[in-house]
Amino acid sequence: MGGWVGQVIGVINVVVLVVSLGLEAWAFVHALLQKAEAFPAVETLQKGVWLALIGGTMLASLLFYAFGMLFAMIALIAALVYLLDVRPRIREISGGGSRW
């Protein structure tokens, strides 16, 4: 696509990438700061698996961005599953902890 439509699509793609990378970084740092024992306690994947999953997909979305948004969407989904499912359960068993 040429013209202004292509430019708008390009800007939207960059905004989606930046927002998703921010969420992915937040999920990665949160997982990194949690105790390893918290993950089996909430019956989820091990800490190392979450770090590899979030970090690996985040890296793939950066490296392969030129091939399309597929890896960025996979990374975003992994981060959102962690942030919306695992994080609240870890906060619950750890007594609330940090609000972020």
Side-chain angles (χ1 to χ4, degrees):
M1 280 186 219
W4 66 272
V5 174
Q7 291 176 341
V8 169
I9 291 172
V11 169
I12 290 171
N13 283 341
V14 169
V15 168
V16 168
L17 180 67
V18 169
V19 169
S20 66
L21 286 173
L23 287 171
E24 294 154 21
W26 177 22
F28 186 83
V29 169
H30 186 272
L32 186 65
L33 296 175
Q34 302 310 306
K35 294 181 181 179
E37 300 82 33
F39 291 84
V42 296
E43 298 175 351
T44 187
L45 300 172
Q46 298 291 324
K47 177 179 181 173
V49 174
W50 275 113
L51 291 173
L53 182 66
I54 297 167
T57 57
M58 188 167 63
L59 182 63
S61 70
L62 285 171
L63 292 176
F64 302 114
Y65 178 71
F67 296 110
M69 295 292 291
L70 176 65
F71 289 106
M73 290 299 108
I74 293 170
L76 180 60
I77 290 168
L80 288 175
V81 167
Y82 177 83
L83 290 172
L84 298 174
D85 183 41
V86 178
R87 181 179 159 264
R89 292 189 286 155
I90 289 176
R91 283 184 46 210
E92 184 178 300
I93 67 161
S94 65
S98 172
R99 297 299 299 170
W100 67 279

